[in-house]
């Protein structure tokens, strides 16, 4: 039986994994003790070509511009298959098998779009990571991103020639791949109250007395500075007043969502 291999590196469609330290050691006589553990890593494209996940993403910029398989040159989107022009909202439906099982009908286009964008705009990686943490309500993760910009890790493999965003730029970053939303828009959309207060504390000029007492106390514990103490914040740099692709501020979004979020606006938190 022929073993399937990656069309890029030509290795089998598996990847090695580190042994689980929690698993009891195998007896010395066990044949499995000398064999490296592996898991499947098989990305099957609509054209029938197979790739490792990372091997495919390493070619993201080229694939995104052509929407064609890097091996057989087949057109990948499931709609308008015969079209030579790029469709508005293409789908590239794949089947990905990894240690978690089989993911059928996985649309790879958003991932390609993101990887191509980050390859062209590497300085945006921290901002997108920050937004991901904000949407999940992970304040510790948000803080770690900001600290990495203030105190870069000397062991980091990041290219020192890559322009770096400032913490203020990360706080007000508008994601072009997500309707120009900021971290505050995403935190509100996902009802992540703790992240919302952290963002307002870090990046707005809202009066301190409008914050619940628990917020300043938590901020002190996390070592989060109050930007207001550094002087007035220009409107265009205040997270409350940055507009998304639909022209909405975070306050507008609170009113749109309702569910109690409108009380933040009614309490004067979003007043300049």
């Amino acid at each position: 039986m022929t073993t399937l291999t990656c069309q890029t590196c030509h290795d089998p469609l598996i990847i090695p994994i580190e042994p689980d330290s929690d698993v009891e050691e195998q007896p010395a006589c066990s044949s499995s003790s000398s064999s490296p553990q592996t898991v499947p890593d098989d990305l099957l494209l609509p054209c029938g070509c197979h790739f490792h996940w990372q091997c495919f993403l390493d070619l993201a910029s080229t694939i995104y511009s052509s929407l064609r398989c890097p091996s057989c040159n087949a057109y990948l989107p499931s709609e308008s298959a015969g079209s030579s022009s790029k469709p508005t909202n293409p789908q590239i439906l794949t089947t990905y098998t990894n240690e978690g099982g089989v993911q059928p009908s996985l649309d790879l286009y958003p991932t390609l779009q993101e990887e191509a964008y980050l390859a062209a705009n590497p300085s945006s990686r921290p901002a997108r990571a920050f937004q991901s943490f904000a949407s999940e309500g992970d304040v510790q993760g948000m803080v770690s991103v900001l600290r990495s910009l203030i105190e870069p890790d000397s062991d980091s493999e990041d290219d020192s020639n890559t322009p770096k965003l400032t913490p203020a730029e990360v706080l007000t970053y508008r994601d072009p791949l997500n309707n120009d939303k900021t971290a505050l828009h995403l935190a509100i959309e996902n009802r992540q109250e703790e992240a919302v207060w952290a963002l307002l504390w870090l990046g707005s000029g809202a009066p301190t007395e409008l914050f619940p007492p628990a917020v300043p106390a938590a901020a002190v514990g996390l070592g989060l500075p109050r930007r207001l103490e550094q002087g007035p914040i220009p409107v265009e740099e205040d997270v409350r007043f940055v507009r998304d692709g639909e022209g909405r501020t975070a306050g507008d979004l609170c009113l749109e969502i309702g569910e109690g979020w409108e009380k933040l606006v009614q309490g004067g938190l979003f007043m300049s």
Side-chain angles (χ1 to χ4, degrees):
M1 179 177 179
T2 303
T3 301
L4 293 174
T5 59
C6 173
Q7 292 294 117
T8 298
C9 69
H10 306 296
D11 288 337
L13 295 164
I14 55 176
I15 54 174
I17 60 171
E18 293 294 328
D20 189 345
S21 59
D22 295 331
V23 177
E24 295 182 4
E25 292 186 5
Q26 296 288 336
C29 62
S30 172
S31 61
S32 62
S33 62
S34 60
S35 302
Q37 292 184 326
T38 61
V39 294
D41 184 39
D42 181 1
L43 180 65
L44 173 61
L45 301 190
C47 57
C49 292
H50 294 258
F51 293 85
H52 290 121
W53 178 266
Q54 190 57 53
C55 287
F56 189 78
L57 291 191
D58 287 343
L59 302 171
S61 295
T62 300
I63 300 168
Y64 177 68
S65 62
S66 67
L67 298 183
R68 292 185 177 277
C69 173
S71 177
C72 70
N73 202 41
Y75 190 67
L76 296 175
S78 57
E79 58 186 54
S80 305
S83 174
S84 59
S85 60
K86 197 169 186 177
T88 304
N89 295 302
Q91 283 187 316
I92 298 178
L93 300 180
T94 64
T95 299
Y96 182 45
T97 306
N98 63 3
E99 69 274 18
V102 179
Q103 301 177 56
S105 302
L106 174 65
D107 184 7
L108 207 61
Y109 182 77
T111 301
L112 282 176
Q113 185 182 44
E114 178 178 19
E115 289 296 316
Y117 172 77
L118 290 176
N121 303 275
S123 64
S124 296
R125 286 189 181 275
R128 291 183 60 81
F130 183 82
Q131 290 201 348
S132 178
F133 286 131
S135 65
E136 296 168 359
D138 186 348
V139 176
Q140 290 281 9
M142 293 161 55
V143 173
S144 69
V145 171
L146 296 179
R147 285 180 176 157
S148 71
L149 298 173
I150 299 171
E151 303 171 356
D153 184 354
S154 59
D155 297 329
S156 174
E157 298 180 358
D158 290 344
D159 185 351
S160 59
N161 295 321
T162 299
K164 301 294 191 298
L165 296 181
T166 66
E169 289 171 330
V170 168
L171 284 163
T172 57
Y173 175 79
R174 301 168 69 209
D175 184 3
L177 301 183
N178 192 11
N179 200 24
D180 284 341
K181 294 174 184 176
T182 67
L184 185 55
H185 285 98
L186 293 172
I188 293 171
E189 274 189 353
N190 289 280
R191 283 68 165 176
Q192 300 292 352
E193 186 174 353
E194 185 178 352
V196 169
W197 285 115
L199 289 163
L200 292 171
W201 180 264
L202 287 165
S204 83
T208 302
E209 58 267 22
L210 294 180
F211 288 79
V215 174
V220 170
L222 291 171
L224 302 183
R226 185 79 229 272
R227 286 191 65 197
L228 185 60
E229 297 170 357
Q230 303 173 19
I233 301 175
V235 169
E236 64 272 13
E237 296 180 5
D238 190 311
V239 294
R240 295 174 298 170
F241 308 124
V242 181
R243 297 181 181 275
D244 66 10
E246 297 180 28
R248 302 173 302 178
T249 65
D252 295 332
L253 190 55
C254 286
L255 294 174
E256 182 179 308
I257 291 176
E259 302 175 13
W261 287 91
E262 71 280 1
K263 293 178 181 179
L264 298 182
V265 180
Q266 295 165 355
L269 191 62
F270 288 90
M271 293 179 61
S272 57

